[in-house]
């Protein structure tokens, strides 16, 4: 009885205290914690750590390569940019040269056109003047002819109609005078 | 009310080989589960790796770089890399032990002081041996603080030695106490959830919901602290101050 | 005095040690907030150390809690 009660009391004391301080449970936990840790260490070292290491190394390498290729691409881009700039500059120069040429050509064309026009105008003017002259001469000749005709007609009529004795005599006299005068001037 | 009941270790299989106790208990079972979860987490994240990572792969890479940065920061790139696999495994073992303990009905391996104590003793013992291996007899300088008058040396050297000896104790007890306290608190609150009438039970129940989130955070922080202190101790063994 | 009563008193006294952790937490967060207020750019750096420091300070209280549990087992 006593021993049972004692055992019960001991059991009670055991359950009231910390179960962690039960020495009979120490040994297997020490052994197994070391073994478990070593197994986990082995597994991680064998399968996990190299995999992660490779992964990170591969990524670092990839990033480095990407950076390098990006640098290269950038260099190329810069080169093509300068090429483009050069092309652009030459194109611009060409354009300005063409423009100047065109301006010069245009000026020359204009001058030529003005000259031609002037020449033509002068020619036309001359032609017009000649025409006017000819027309004037013709008109004068016509007028002269008409005047002669008219004079002849008038004279005829005058002679035919109104030559009287007195007037005829005076006219003769006059004509004689004229002849004398011309003689005198001859001598 | 037995708030410490769920820390009880039960042996399922009593087994010993060559005088070594190799029994399988609930603690051992959850050690395996935690280690398996840690391994599964990484293999699942790395099942088909891509140059542009998916969610799980990003998480795995983040977890890798987190530890790598820590080791590089504290021990240094040159000396630290050879310890990296050990520290990495240590962090994830402890982290998954902490987190798997939050599954209802599970067992928290890191709430066993003997487990944390084993790790702490191995780490500090290794740091001590490694220090002597690196520096020989000069490693004793580690216990002599610089810039202290010679007159104070009889006082300072024992303090340094004691603080060195306290390292494994504080390292193991910190993790163990955090896990134990958090889970005990949850157990107490669950006890009230069950025993209180329904109009009062929602309060402790809400508390358990919030506190489970806090426990996840503490699980991360404590694993981090444990690992960072491991790094610091190893660094002390490499670079004498 | 009964030994179990003494154990209960001891447990209570051990819990009083949590006050130190409380002071530590107050100082830690107060100083951290001050530091962030002075130097908002350093927030991520400071908050990293807050959580580490918090874990250390909290551990002190939990050492007390462990003592409580140990006494609880002996009582």
């Amino acid at each position: 009885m006593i021993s049972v009660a004692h055992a019960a009391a001991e059991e009670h004391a055991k359950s009231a205290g910390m179960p962690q301080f039960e020495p009979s449970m120490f040994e297997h936990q020490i052994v197994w914690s070391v073994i478990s840790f070593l197994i986990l260490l082995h597994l991680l070292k064998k399968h996990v750590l190299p995999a992660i290491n490779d992964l990170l190394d591969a990524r670092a390498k990839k990033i480095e390569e990407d950076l390098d290729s990006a640098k290269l691409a950038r260099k190329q881009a810069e080169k093509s940019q300068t090429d483009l700039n050069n092309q652009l500059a030459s194109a611009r120069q060409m354009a300005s040269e063409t423009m100047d040429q065109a301006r010069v050509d245009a000026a020359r064309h204009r001058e030529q056109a003005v000259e031609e026009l002037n020449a033509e105008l002068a020619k036309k003017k001359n032609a017009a003047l000649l025409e006017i002259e000819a027309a004037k001469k013709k008109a004068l000749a016509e007028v002269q002819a008409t005047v002669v005709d008219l004079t002849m007609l008038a004279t005829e009529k005058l002679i035919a109609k109104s030559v009287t004795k007195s007037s005829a005599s005076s006219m003769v006299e006059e004509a004689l005078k004229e002849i004398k005068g011309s003689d005198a001037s001859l001598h | 009310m037995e708030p410490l009941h769920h820390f009880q270790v039960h042996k399922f299989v009593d087994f010993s080989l060559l005088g070594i106790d190799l029994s399988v208990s609930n603690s051992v079972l959850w050690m395996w589960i935690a280690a398996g979860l840690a391994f599964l987490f990484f293999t699942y994240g790395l099942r088909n790796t891509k140059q542009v990572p998916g969610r799980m792969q990003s998480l795995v890479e983040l977890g890798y770089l987190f530890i790598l940065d820590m080791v590089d920061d504290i021990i240094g790139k040159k000396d630290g890399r050879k310890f990296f696999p050990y520290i990495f495994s240590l962090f994830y073992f402890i982290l998954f032990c902490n987190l798997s303990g939050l599954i209802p009905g599970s067992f928290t391996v890191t709430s066993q002081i003997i487990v944390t104590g084993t790790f702490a003793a191995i780490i500090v013992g290794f740091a001590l041996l490694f220090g002597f291996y690196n520096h020989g007899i000069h490693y004793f300088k580690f216990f002599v603080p610089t810039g202290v008058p010679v007159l104070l040396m009889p006082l300072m050297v024992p303090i340094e030695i004691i603080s060195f000896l306290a390292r494994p104790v504080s390292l193991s007890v910190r993790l163990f106490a955090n896990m134990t306290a958090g889970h005990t608190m949850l157990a107490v609150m669950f006890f009230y959830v069950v025993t209180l009438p329904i109009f009062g039970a929602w309060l402790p129940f809400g508390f358990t919901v919030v506190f489970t989130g806090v426990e996840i955070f503490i699980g991360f922080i404590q694993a981090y602290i444990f690992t960072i202190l491991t790094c610091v101790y190893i660094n002390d063994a490499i670079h004498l101050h | 005095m009964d030994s179990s009563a003494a154990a209960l008193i001891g447990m209570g006294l051990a819990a009083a040690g949590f006050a130190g952790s409380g002071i530590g937490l107050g100082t830690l967060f107060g100083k951290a907030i001050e530091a962030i207020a002075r130097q908002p750019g350093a927030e991520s750096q400071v908050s990293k150390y807050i959580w580490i420091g918090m874990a250390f300070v909290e551990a002190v209280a939990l050492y007390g809690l462990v003592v409580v549990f140990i006494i609880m087992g002996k009582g």
Side-chain angles (χ1 to χ4, degrees), chain A residues 78-144:
Chain A
E78 269 169 9
K79 195 164 156 266
S80 61
Q81 169 112 42
T82 48
D83 281 2
L84 205 69
N85 278 347
N86 288 344
Q87 275 178 11
L88 209 67
S90 67
R92 203 167 279 154
Q93 202 182 344
M94 220 158 86
S96 71
E97 270 173 17
T98 316
M99 201 112 148
D100 287 350
Q101 187 68 39
R103 208 170 282 142
V104 169
D105 279 4
R108 215 179 58 217
H109 274 133
R110 203 173 55 219
E111 271 168 24
Q112 209 173 348
V114 166
E115 263 170 32
E116 273 172 16
L117 203 66
N118 280 345
E120 200 158 328
L121 278 176
K123 221 159 85 184
K124 274 188 180 162
K125 198 173 147 190
N126 281 343
L129 281 175
L130 284 175
E131 233 168 82
I132 288 167
E133 198 74 19
K136 211 160 103 186
K137 272 183 185 161
K138 204 173 146 195
L140 271 177
E142 271 175 16
V143 166
Q144 215 169 355

Side-chain angles (χ1 to χ4, degrees), chain A residues 13-105:
Chain A
K14 216 197 261 176
S15 70
M18 290 191 92
Q20 284 98 326
F21 295 125
E22 175 60 50
S24 66
M25 296 297 172
F26 279 3
E27 195 182 342
H28 78 280
Q29 290 195 67
I30 295 174
V31 174
W32 277 118
S33 59
V34 171
I35 293 173
S36 309
F37 175 73
L38 288 179
I39 290 170
L40 180 67
L41 173 68
H42 177 77
L43 285 176
L44 291 182
K45 218 173 165 180
K46 201 98 185 172
H47 298 289
V48 171
L49 292 179
I52 304 178
N53 210 9
D54 289 353
L55 198 69
L56 294 178
D57 278 356
R59 184 169 310 149
K61 209 171 141 198
K62 179 96 196 332
I63 289 170
E64 212 161 278
E65 277 171 9
D66 283 0
L67 278 179
D68 280 354
S69 65
K71 214 178 272 173
L72 207 74
R74 194 181 142 163
K75 214 171 270 176
Q76 270 175 356
E78 269 169 9
K79 195 164 156 266
S80 61
Q81 169 112 42
T82 48
D83 281 2
L84 205 69
N85 278 347
N86 288 344
Q87 275 178 11
L88 209 67
S90 67
R92 203 167 279 154
Q93 202 182 344
M94 220 158 86
S96 71
E97 270 173 17
T98 316
M99 201 112 148
D100 287 350
Q101 187 68 39
R103 208 170 282 142
V104 169
D105 279 4

Side-chain angles (χ1 to χ4, degrees), chain B residues 142-156:
Chain B
F142 181 71
F143 300 109
V144 183
T146 49
V148 175
V150 184
L151 217 65
L152 278 175
M153 278 305 169
L155 194 66
M156 292 305 290

